[in-house]
C-alpha cells in the first residue's frame, strides 16, 4: 500500500473488530469563496442521509396525509417525506445531524396522529448490500489490514471485514455508488486476487414465538453469541422474539436449537399477521362493530320519525305529551340519538379536534359540524317545547343518527374495498409453501418453509411448490413460473438450473440446494418492489392535494352561505310560504339545506382517485411479470412516444455468431483467426465469445479434430476500450479489434471499399468488426445476432400505437445517454429498454428506463420498469397498462369532481324552486360515503385488465413456430 494512502487515511478499529478507514482531509464540494454555511449545514453535507418508516394511524383522507407531510417537513434536516394514507405509512429521508427518528415520531403525534417506527420493515429501505469475496493470496495480518483500510476509504463502502483466518472478505456497500465488479477491480489494483462468492441484502429477520417462562436476557445473550446474529428484540406482550441475521452464517433452526437448550421453553414460528394487515383487520372490525351499534340505535329513531307516526294507534302514543308540548316520540329519539352522537360518533370529534389543532380541516370537521348542528338544534327545540304550552317542536334527531350510521357504513365498505387493492401483494406472499422436505444424512424431514437455511438440500416432489430460490443438484422436471414471471408454459429444468421460490414443480422429482432465503429471495424482492411502488406518489396526485388543501374551508363557507341565503330569503319574503313544508319553519328549512351541503361534500374521493388506481395497476403489472416502480413511473410510461432499444441481448438473442469474413490482406485464415482469438480471449463481450467460437471451429477444421481445444498465442498489454473494442499485443504485433471509432483513434486508414462493406452489414442488421494488425486493416468479421422471436412484430405494434422505435448498438454508455437526451430535447418522451451495465446511464437519463429480467442487477436497479421475462411484448404490456391505469385515474377525477360539482348545488336546493326537491342530510351523508366507495370500486376494475389481443396472437404464433 502506498505511503500516500497511509498518510491520507486513518484506520479505526470498530467495536466488532473490523477496521474502517476515515479520510483525514475529507474532500468537500467546491463553492464560491463568498459562500458561508452554518455548522449544521456543513454536518448535513458531510454526513449521509438516513431513512425511517413509520406506521401512522388516524389518517382518513388525503388532507390528513398532507398534514403529516407538512408537520414532518417543518423539522430541520428533512430531505423528503412521503405519506401513504391508504396503507397508513410514512417514509422519511432525513439528515441524522439535524434530527432523529424519535423527533420525527413526536412531530407526527403533535399533528394529531399516532406514529410507530417500523424497525422490521426499515431494512427493506436500507440500500447497503453486502458482497462476500474470497481473497486467494492473503499472506499475513498486515495484508488483511491494508486491504480493509483501502476498501473502507472508497466512496460508497460502509464497512469492510476481512478475518485473516478465513480469507473471506465482506464488503458492505451502497449499490447506488458502486457495484461488485468495481470492488473486484479495486482489489485487483491493490495486488490481491478476489473471487466473488455471494452478494445480497445485508440481513434477514425471523420471528419466533416463545412458550413457557424464558429468561429473555439470557436467551438474548446466547443468540448474540452466534456468528451472524446482528440484532435480537423481544416483545413481551406477544411473546415474540425477532432475530436479524446474516443468512450465509446462521439460520432459524440454529436459533431454535439454541433457545430450546434452556429448560421449559418451546419455540415455534410466530404466526401473527403482518403489522399492516393486522391494523387493517382491526380497523375493519372497529368500523363494522360501530356500524352495528349505530344501526341498533338508529333504526328505532328512523321508525319513530318516518314510519310509525303514520300507523294508527302507535302515532297517538308517540304524540302523547310528557311535559308541556314535549312528545314521547321526541323524547325517545333524543334518548336513542345521544349515544350515537357522542359515543359511537366520538371518532369524528377526536378527528376534528386533531385536525383543528394542527391548523387544518378534514372530513371529520364537516361530519362533526353537520351532525352537531342537527343534534343541538333538535335539543334546543325539545327543551323549548318542554318549557312552553304552545311551541310544537320539530327535531332533526333522525338526521344526526342516520348520517353517522351511513358514514360508518361507507367507511367500512371503503376500507374493505381499499384492502382489495393490495390483493396482488397478498397473493404473491401466499405463493410460498407452508412446509418443505429437508434432506439430511439421517433421511427426510418435513419442516416449516420459513426454517429453510442457505445450502439446505430440499426435495421437491411433482405438484409441490419450490420453498425458496435455489439450484437443482439432481433430477429433471418442468417448472411452472407463471405466478412469478407470467410465462404460462412450464420451463424445462435440470441439474445446474436455477429455480425460484413459489414456483410449481410439474412432473419430476427435484433435489434443490437453497441459495437465497428470507428477504433475499426473488419473491421477497418482488413484494418489496411492489410495496415501494405503491408508496411512491404519482405527480398527478399533487392536483388532488392542492384541491384538498382548500376544500373543507370552502365547503364550510358554502354551507353557512346556503343557510344564510335561504334564511334571509324567508325573512324577506323572497319565496312563498307555501314552499315551506308543514312540519318546518323557514329557519329549519334553511338549516336542512345548510347541513346537506356540509355533509355531501367529499374530498376523500379526490384523495383516493390516484393512489387506489396506482396500487391496483402496479399489483396487476406484478401478476403479469411487469414490475412498475411507483406512480411516477406509471405516469411517465403512459406519455411515452419514443422507445429506444439496446440491440445486443435486448432485441436480439444475445448469442451472436460470425457469418462472414472478409480478408483485406494476404494472410492465412488460421493465422488471422488465431491472432484475433488470442486478443479477444480476455474479453467478456458477447461478440468476443462469437469470434473465439468461430476461430475454434476454423482450428478444428484445419486439424480435422472436432473434440480438441486450441491453445492460443500469449497476449500482452491487453486493454478493453469501452464502446470501441479491444487492444493487445500478440506475437509482437499490435492487434486492434473493434469499430470504426477505434481505428480512427489509432490512425488506421479506412478505405471507401471498407466503408461500403460496413454499410452493407448495417443494412442487413449485422455488425461489422474491423481487424487491424500493426495499424493496417487486415479484415472484417461480420457478426449476426438473431432477433428474438416477435421482435419485429413488437416494433410494428408500437408503431400502430403511434410510438416510434430506435435501435442503439455498439455505443459508449455516455453516448447512449447523450442520444437519449437529444431525443428528449426534440420533444420526445423517451423509454430506454436495456439489459446491461453499459445501459444504466441511458436508463437513468430516459423518462422511463425499462430493464429486462435477464439483465444485470445494476440495470434493473437503474430502471423504472422491470420485465421479469425477456419478452419484448412486455414493453407493450407496460405501456398499455400505464395508459389504462391513467385513463382510470382521469375517470376517477371526473367522477369525484363531477360528484361535488353537481352534488353541492343539489344539496343547497338549486332545484327546489322548480321541483320542490330537497336532499335530506342523511341521504346527502349516504351519497358522500358512496362517492368514496365508488372511486375505490372504479380502481378495482383495473383487476380485470387484459393485455392487447394482438399480443396474445403473437405469443400463439411464436409457440406454433417452435
Amino acid at each position: 500500500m502506498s505511503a500516500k494512502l497511509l498518510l491520507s487515511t486513518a484506520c479505526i478499529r470498530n467495536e466488532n473488530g473490523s477496521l474502517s478507514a476515515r479520510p483525514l482531509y475529507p474532500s468537500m464540494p467546491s463553492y464560491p469563496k463568498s459562500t458561508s454555511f452554518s455548522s449544521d449545514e456543513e454536518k448535513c453535507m458531510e454526513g449521509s442521509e438516513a431513512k425511517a418508516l413509520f406506521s401512522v394511524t388516524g389518517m382518513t383522507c388525503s388532507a390528513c396525509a398532507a398534514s403529516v407531510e407538512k408537520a414532518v417537513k417543518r423539522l430541520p434536516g428533512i430531505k423528503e417525506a412521503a405519506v401513504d394514507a391508504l396503507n397508513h405509512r410514512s417514509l422519511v429521508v432525513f439528515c441524522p445531524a439535524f434530527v432523529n427518528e424519535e423527533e420525527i415520531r413526536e412531530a407526527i403525534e403533535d399533528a394529531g396522529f399516532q406514529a410507530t417506527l417500523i424497525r422490521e420493515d426499515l431494512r427493506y429501505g436500507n440500500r447497503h448490500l453486502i458482497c462476500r469475496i474470497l481473497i486467494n493470496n492473503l499472506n499475513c495480518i498486515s495484508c488483511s489490514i491494508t486491504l480493509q483500510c483501502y476498501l473502507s476509504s472508497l466512496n460508497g463502502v460502509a464497512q469492510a471485514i476481512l478475518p485473516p483466518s478465513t480469507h473471506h472478505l465482506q464488503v458492505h456497500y451502497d449499490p447506488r455508488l458502486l457495484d461488485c465488479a468495481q470492488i473486484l477491480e479495486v482489489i485487483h489494483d491493490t495486488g490481491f486476487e478476489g473471487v466473488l462468492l455471494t452478494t445480497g441484502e445485508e440481513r434477514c429477520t425471523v420471528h419466533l414465538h416463545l412458550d413457557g417462562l424464558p429468561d429473555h436476557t439470557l436467551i438474548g445473550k446466547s443468540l448474540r453469541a452466534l456468528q451472524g446474529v446482528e440484532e435480537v428484540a423481544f416483545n413481551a406482550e406477544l411473546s415474540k422474539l425477532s432475530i436479524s441475521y446474516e443468512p450465509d452464517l446462521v439460520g432459524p433452526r440454529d436459533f431454535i436449537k439454541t433457545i430450546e437448550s434452556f429448560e421449559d421453553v418451546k419455540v415455534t414460528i410466530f404466526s401473527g399477521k403482518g403489522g399492516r394487515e393486522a391494523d387493517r383487520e382491526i380497523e375493519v372490525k372497529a368500523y363494522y362493530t360501530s356500524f352495528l351499534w349505530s344501526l341498533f340505535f338508529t333504526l328505532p329513531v328512523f321508525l319513530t320519525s318516518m314510519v310509525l307516526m303514520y300507523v294508527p294507534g302507535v302515532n297517538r302514543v308517540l304524540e302523547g305529551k310528557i311535559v308541556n308540548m314535549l312528545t314521547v316520540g321526541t323524547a325517545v329519539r333524543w334518548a336513542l340519538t345521544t349515544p350515537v352522537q357522542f359515543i359511537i360518533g366520538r371518532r369524528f370529534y377526536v378527528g376534528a379536534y386533531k385536525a383543528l389543532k394542527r391548523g387544518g380541516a378534514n372530513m371529520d370537521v364537516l361530519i362533526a359540524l353537520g351532525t352537531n348542528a342537527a343534534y343541538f338544534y333538535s335539543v334546543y327545540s325539545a327543551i323549548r317545547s318542554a318549557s312552553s304550552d304552545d311551541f310544537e317542536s320539530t327535531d332533526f334527531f333522525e338526521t344526526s343518527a342516520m348520517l353517522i350510521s351511513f358514514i360508518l357504513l361507507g367507511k367500512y365498505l371503503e376500507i374493505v374495498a381499499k384492502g382489495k387493492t393490495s390483493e396482488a401483494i397478498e397473493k404473491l406472499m401466499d405463493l410460498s409453501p407452508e412446509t418443505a422436505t429437508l434432506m439430511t444424512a439421517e433421511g427426510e424431514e418435513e419442516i416449516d418453509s420459513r426454517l429453510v437455511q442457505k445450502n439446505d438440500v430440499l426435495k421437491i416432489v411433482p405438484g409441490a411448490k419450490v420453498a425458496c430460490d435455489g439450484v437443482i443438484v439432481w433430477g429433471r422436471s418442468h417448472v411452472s413460473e407463471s405466478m412469478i414471471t407470467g410465462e404460462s408454459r412450464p420451463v424445462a429444468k435440470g441439474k445446474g438450473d436455477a429455480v425460484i421460490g413459489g414456483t410449481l414443480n410439474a412432473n419430476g422429482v427435484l433435489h434443490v440446494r437453497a441459495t437465497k432465503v428470507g428477504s433475499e429471495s426473488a419473491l421477497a424482492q418482488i413484494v418489496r418492489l411492489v410495496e415501494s411502488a405503491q408508496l411512491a406518489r404519482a405527480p398527478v396526485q399533487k392536483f388532488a392535494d392542492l384541491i384538498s388543501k382548500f376544500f373543507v374551508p370552502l365547503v364550510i363557507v358554502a354551507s353557512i352561505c346556503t343557510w344564510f341565503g335561504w334564511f334571509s330569503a324567508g325573512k324577506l319574503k323572497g319565496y312563498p310560504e307555501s314552499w315551506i313544508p308543514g312540519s318546518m319553519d323557514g329557519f329549519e328549512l334553511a338549516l336542512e339545506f345548510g347541513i346537506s351541503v356540509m355533509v355531501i361534500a367529499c374530498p376523500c374521493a379526490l384523495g383516493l382517485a390516484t393512489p387506489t388506481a396506482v396500487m391496483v395497476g402496479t399489483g396487476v403489472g406484478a401478476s403479469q411479470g411487469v414490475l412498475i416502480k411507483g406512480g411516477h413511473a406509471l405516469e411517465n410510461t403512459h406519455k411515452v412516444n419514443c422507445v429506444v432499444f439496446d440491440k445486443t441481448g435486448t432485441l436480439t438473442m444475445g448469442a451472436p455468431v460470425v457469418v462472414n469474413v472478409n480478408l483485406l490482406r494476404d494472410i492465412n485464415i488460421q493465422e488471422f483467426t488465431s491472432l484475433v482469438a488470442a486478443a479477444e480471449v480476455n474479453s467478456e463481450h458477447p461478440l468476443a465469445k462469437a469470434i473465439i467460437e468461430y476461430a475454434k471451429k476454423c482450428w478444428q477444421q484445419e486439424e480435422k479434430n472436432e473434440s480438441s481445444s486450441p491453445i492460443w498465442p500469449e497476449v500482452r498489454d491487453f486493454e478493453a476500450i469501452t464502446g470501441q473494442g479491444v487492444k493487445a499485443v500478440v506475437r509482437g504485433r499490435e492487434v486492434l479489434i473493434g469499430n470504426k471509432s477505434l481505428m480512427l483513434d489509432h490512425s488506421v486508414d479506412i478505405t471507401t471499399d471498407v466503408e461500403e462493406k460496413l454499410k452493407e452489414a448495417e443494412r442487413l442488421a449485422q455488425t461489422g468488426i474491423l481487424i487491424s494488425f500493426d495499424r493496417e486493416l487486415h479484415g472484417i468479421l461480420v457478426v449476426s445476432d438473431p432477433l428474438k422471436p416477435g421482435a419485429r412484430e413488437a416494433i410494428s405494434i408500437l408503431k400502430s400505437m403511434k410510438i416510434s422505435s430506435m435501435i442503439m448498438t455498439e455505443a459508449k454508455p455516455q453516448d447512449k445517454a447523450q442520444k437519449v437526451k437529444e431525443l428528449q430535447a426534440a420533444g420526445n418522451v423517451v423509454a430506454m429498454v436495456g439489459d446491461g451495465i453499459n445501459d444504466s446511464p441511458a436508463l437513468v437519463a430516459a423518462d422511463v428506463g425499462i430493464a429486462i429480467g435477464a439483465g444485470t442487477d445494476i440495470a434493473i436497479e437503474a430502471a423504472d420498469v422491470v420485465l421479469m421475462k425477456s419478452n419484448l411484448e412486455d414493453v407493450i404490456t407496460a405501456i398499455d397498462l400505464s395508459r389504462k391505469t391513467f385513463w382510470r385515474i382521469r375517470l376517477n377525477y371526473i367522477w369525484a369532481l363531477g360528484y361535488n360539482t353537481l352534488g353541492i348545488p343539489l344539496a343547497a336546493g338549486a332545484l327546489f324552486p322548480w321541483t320542490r326537491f330537497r336532499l335530506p342530510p342523511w341521504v346527502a351523508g349516504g351519497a358522500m360515503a358512496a362517492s368514496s366507495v365508488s372511486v375505490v370500486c372504479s380502481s378495482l376494475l383495473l383487476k380485470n385488465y387484459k393485455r392487447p389481443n394482438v399480443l396474445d396472437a403473437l405469443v400463439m404464433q411464436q409457440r406454433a413456430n417452435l
Side-chain angles (χ1 to χ4, degrees):
M1 187 164 135
S2 66
K4 180 179 178 181
L5 175 64
L6 286 171
L7 288 173
S8 62
T9 61
C11 292
I12 303 172
R13 185 168 295 278
N14 301 318
E15 292 181 0
N16 61 359
S18 64
L19 287 176
S20 59
R22 298 290 180 268
L24 294 177
Y25 306 100
S27 59
M28 291 290 292
S30 299
Y31 296 99
K33 291 183 178 180
S34 60
T35 305
S36 61
F37 299 100
S38 67
S39 59
D40 285 342
E41 288 173 326
E42 290 176 354
K43 287 179 184 177
C44 192
M45 288 186 290
E46 292 176 4
S48 60
E49 66 182 30
K51 293 182 181 179
L53 185 64
F54 295 89
S55 171
V56 183
T57 56
M59 294 190 294
T60 58
C61 61
S62 58
C64 298
S67 298
V68 173
E69 185 175 335
K70 183 178 179 181
V72 172
K73 286 185 174 180
R74 284 175 179 167
L75 296 173
I78 300 297
K79 296 185 176 181
E80 187 59 51
V83 183
D84 182 1
L86 281 177
N87 292 310
H88 306 289
R89 292 194 172 196
S90 176
L91 178 64
V92 183
V93 182
F94 62 96
C95 178
F98 283 90
V99 68
N100 57 39
E101 292 95 334
E102 181 60 23
E103 291 171 331
I104 297 172
R105 188 190 65 79
E106 289 176 355
I108 297 174
E109 295 201 338
D110 288 342
F113 303 93
Q114 292 294 320
T116 306
L117 180 64
I118 306 177
R119 297 188 183 275
E120 296 168 9
D121 289 351
L122 191 59
R123 69 182 188 281
Y124 298 152
N126 192 338
R127 296 311 309 145
H128 280 168
L129 302 184
I130 180 171
C131 68
R132 292 173 175 81
I133 300 171
L134 176 64
I135 307 299
N136 290 324
N137 56 339
L138 195 67
N139 299 320
C140 60
I141 295 178
S142 178
C143 295
S144 172
I145 295 174
T146 299
L147 185 56
Q148 285 185 88
C149 287
Y150 191 52
L151 289 172
S152 297
S153 66
L154 293 177
N155 184 30
V157 173
Q159 191 178 40
I161 306 172
L162 179 55
S165 57
T166 64
H167 293 205
H168 282 196
L169 171 68
Q170 297 181 9
V171 182
H172 298 248
Y173 67 99
D174 188 338
R176 295 168 295 184
L177 302 177
L178 75 168
D179 56 59
C180 292
Q182 292 171 308
I183 295 172
L184 287 170
E185 185 178 350
V186 170
I187 292 171
H188 182 267
D189 290 343
T190 56
F192 298 97
E193 295 176 9
V195 178
L196 184 63
L197 298 176
T198 61
T199 180
E201 296 211 31
E202 273 192 297
R203 61 185 185 181
C204 295
T205 299
V206 66
H207 307 292
L208 304 176
H209 184 268
L210 305 186
D211 286 327
L213 299 173
D215 185 335
H216 306 140
T217 304
L218 190 58
I219 288 177
K221 288 182 179 179
S222 300
L223 290 172
R224 291 185 183 93
L226 296 176
Q227 186 180 13
V229 172
E230 296 190 350
E231 186 177 350
V232 179
F234 183 73
N235 185 325
E237 183 180 352
L238 300 175
S239 297
K240 172 184 170 185
L241 186 67
S242 300
I243 307 167
S244 298
Y245 63 96
E246 294 185 12
D248 287 335
L249 304 175
V250 71
R253 295 201 306 278
D254 300 322
F255 307 145
I256 292 176
K257 183 179 179 181
T258 300
I259 297 171
E260 290 188 341
S261 64
F262 295 89
E263 293 184 359
D264 300 326
V265 181
K266 193 70 177 175
V267 186
T268 56
I269 290 289
F270 186 78
S271 58
K273 294 185 178 179
R276 190 185 326 183
E277 186 180 350
D279 289 343
R280 181 176 288 125
E281 286 193 2
I282 292 172
E283 191 175 17
V284 167
K285 185 177 180 180
Y287 272 109
Y288 182 69
T289 303
S290 296
F291 169 70
L292 290 181
W293 276 109
S294 180
L295 188 65
F296 174 78
F297 289 103
T298 300
L299 196 57
V301 173
F302 171 77
L303 292 174
T304 58
S305 62
M306 301 289 186
V307 179
L308 297 179
M309 60 184 296
Y310 300 107
V311 177
V314 179
N315 62 343
R316 293 180 183 177
V317 175
L318 294 176
E319 291 174 0
K321 304 297 190 293
I322 300 176
V323 179
N324 291 330
M325 298 299 290
L326 178 64
T327 64
V328 172
T330 300
V332 169
R333 288 191 290 274
W334 186 0
L336 292 172
T337 301
T338 300
V340 176
Q341 181 72 33
F342 297 107
I343 300 176
I344 299 172
R346 180 178 179 274
R347 66 174 69 243
F348 302 118
Y349 286 99
V350 173
Y353 169 75
K354 290 180 178 179
L356 295 173
K357 181 182 177 182
R358 60 178 178 262
N362 60 5
M363 276 302 304
D364 292 331
V365 173
L366 295 180
I367 295 168
L369 286 174
T371 56
N372 276 335
Y375 178 83
F376 284 109
Y377 175 78
S378 301
V379 170
Y380 159 77
S381 179
I383 293 174
R384 184 176 175 185
S385 65
S387 58
S388 173
D389 295 332
D390 56 1
F391 179 79
E392 293 186 5
S393 67
T394 301
D395 64 78
F396 290 96
F397 285 123
E398 81 284 350
T399 295
S400 171
M402 293 176 69
L403 183 56
I404 290 175
S405 297
F406 271 107
I407 290 172
L408 289 172
L409 175 61
K411 280 291 183 183
Y412 166 73
L413 295 175
E414 179 185 324
I415 294 168
V416 171
K418 285 194 294 186
K420 293 183 181 296
T421 62
S422 59
E423 277 187 352
I425 289 182
E426 293 170 7
K427 287 180 179 178
L428 283 171
M429 296 175 71
D430 289 340
L431 286 177
S432 296
E434 293 184 359
T435 60
T437 303
L438 176 66
M439 302 185 68
T440 63
E442 292 77 21
E444 298 177 2
E445 177 186 356
E446 189 172 274
I447 62 172
D448 191 304
S449 62
R450 291 168 291 183
L451 296 180
V452 173
Q453 300 181 184
K454 272 195 174 181
N455 297 316
D456 282 346
V457 177
L458 307 175
K459 181 180 179 180
I460 316 296
V461 299
K465 288 183 178 180
V466 180
C468 64
D469 295 1
V471 175
I472 297 173
V473 295
W474 181 87
R476 297 190 67 84
S477 183
H478 284 78
V479 177
S480 174
E481 299 178 343
S482 60
M483 60 288 294
I484 302 294
T485 66
E487 176 59 62
S488 58
R489 296 183 65 193
V491 181
K493 299 283 186 178
K495 183 177 179 179
D497 291 335
V499 290
I500 304 173
T503 54
L504 185 67
N505 183 25
N507 53 11
V509 177
L510 297 175
H511 293 177
V512 175
R513 179 173 58 82
T515 57
K516 293 183 178 180
V517 297
S519 62
E520 288 188 326
S521 68
L523 188 59
Q525 292 177 34
I526 292 172
V527 170
R528 288 200 299 274
L529 190 150
V530 176
E531 286 180 330
S532 299
Q534 294 176 347
L535 182 64
R537 298 167 70 186
V540 72
Q541 178 70 22
K542 294 178 181 178
F543 171 70
D545 293 343
L546 180 63
I547 294 178
S548 298
K549 186 176 181 180
F550 304 102
F551 188 89
V552 173
L554 289 176
V555 168
I556 294 174
V557 171
S559 176
I560 294 173
C561 290
T562 299
W563 169 81
F564 183 76
W566 279 102
F567 179 70
S568 300
K571 288 292 184 181
L572 299 175
K573 308 297 182 181
Y575 58 83
E577 289 188 8
S578 60
W579 287 12
I580 303 174
S583 60
M584 292 185 179
D585 58 23
F587 177 85
E588 292 167 345
L589 178 66
L591 181 63
E592 183 179 83
F593 283 134
I595 293 174
S596 294
V597 169
M598 189 170 294
V599 298
I600 199 172
C602 182
C604 295
L606 279 170
L608 293 170
T610 297
T612 53
V614 169
M615 282 191 83
V616 179
T618 52
V620 168
S623 67
Q624 303 219 6
V626 178
L627 305 181
I628 303 174
K629 298 182 180 179
H632 193 278
L634 260 176
E635 183 165 346
N636 283 344
T637 305
H638 97 281
K639 300 176 184 176
V640 167
N641 58 14
C642 178
V643 178
V644 179
F645 291 95
D646 174 56
K647 182 183 175 184
T648 305
T650 302
L651 273 181
T652 64
M653 298 295 292
V657 293
V658 177
V659 295
N660 193 16
V661 178
N662 291 310
L663 296 179
L664 305 177
R665 303 279 179 177
D666 186 14
I667 185 172
N668 180 277
I669 185 66
Q670 187 173 1
E671 172 69 11
F672 177 82
T673 55
S674 294
L675 292 173
V676 172
E680 289 281 22
V681 76
N682 292 313
S683 175
E684 293 295 324
H685 198 283
L687 295 181
K689 295 178 181 178
I691 293 171
I692 294 169
E693 188 63 28
Y694 176 77
K696 181 179 178 181
K697 290 181 179 178
C698 289
W699 187 88
Q700 290 172 343
Q701 289 175 0
E702 183 72 21
E703 296 293 324
K704 298 181 180 180
N705 185 351
E706 295 184 1
S707 61
S708 61
S709 297
I711 299 176
W712 307 119
E714 184 181 351
V715 179
R716 294 185 296 106
D717 303 330
F718 173 83
E719 181 182 358
I721 304 172
T722 305
Q724 292 185 327
V726 299
K727 175 183 177 182
V729 176
V730 184
R731 291 177 178 167
R733 306 182 71 176
E734 182 189 63
V735 179
L736 294 173
I737 306 172
N739 56 22
K740 187 167 66 172
S741 174
L742 176 67
M743 299 301 156
L744 294 176
D745 286 352
H746 289 79
S747 303
V748 178
D749 291 333
I750 300 176
T751 64
T752 304
D753 184 49
V754 171
E755 294 269 14
E756 290 298 326
K757 284 181 168 54
L758 290 176
K759 289 180 181 179
E760 176 66 15
E762 289 179 6
R763 188 181 66 81
L764 296 173
Q766 297 171 341
T767 302
I769 301 174
L770 301 176
I771 312 297
S772 165
F773 300 149
D774 295 328
R775 306 293 171 99
E776 290 185 354
L777 277 180
H778 276 64
I780 304 174
L781 290 175
V782 181
V783 179
S784 175
D785 192 357
L787 286 174
K788 286 182 177 178
R792 296 182 188 276
E793 292 82 356
I795 291 176
S796 177
I797 295 170
L798 286 172
K799 187 176 180 181
S800 69
M801 297 169 67
K802 298 182 180 179
I803 298 174
S804 60
S805 302
M806 293 184 62
I807 301 175
M808 204 182 295
T809 185
E810 293 302 306
K812 295 179 180 179
Q814 59 268 31
D815 292 340
K816 291 183 180 181
Q818 183 59 37
K819 183 61 179 177
V820 167
K821 292 176 182 177
E822 290 173 5
L823 290 170
Q824 291 170 326
N828 294 296
V829 179
V830 181
M832 173 70 194
V833 185
D835 69 331
I837 293 175
N838 63 332
D839 297 322
S840 298
L843 291 172
V844 173
D847 297 287
V848 179
I850 302 178
I852 62 174
T856 65
D857 292 338
I858 300 300
I860 291 173
E861 179 68 27
D864 302 299
V865 179
V866 179
L867 309 182
M868 293 296 293
K869 297 173 286 184
S870 297
N871 296 343
L872 291 175
E873 57 261 27
D874 283 346
V875 174
I876 300 167
T877 301
I879 295 174
D880 183 67
L881 175 60
S882 66
R883 288 181 175 182
K884 295 285 174 54
T885 302
F886 263 79
W887 179 85
R888 183 62 58 180
I889 289 173
R890 291 191 187 101
L891 186 65
N892 289 346
Y893 275 131
I894 290 172
W895 164 248
L897 290 172
Y899 162 81
N900 285 291
T901 303
L902 296 176
I904 292 176
L906 191 65
L911 300 179
F912 185 72
W914 299 278
T915 65
R916 304 295 183 273
F917 175 78
R918 292 179 294 126
L919 195 66
W922 61 270
V923 175
M928 181 270 288
S931 68
S932 297
V933 177
S934 63
V935 166
V936 177
C937 292
S938 171
S939 296
L940 285 173
L941 290 176
L942 277 172
K943 295 173 72 174
N944 300 322
Y945 169 80
K946 302 291 183 185
R947 65 182 193 166
N949 292 331
V950 66
L951 292 183
D952 293 326
L954 178 60
V955 172
M956 295 297 292
Q957 180 184 345
Q958 291 174 12
R959 290 177 180 173
N961 294 334
L962 291 177

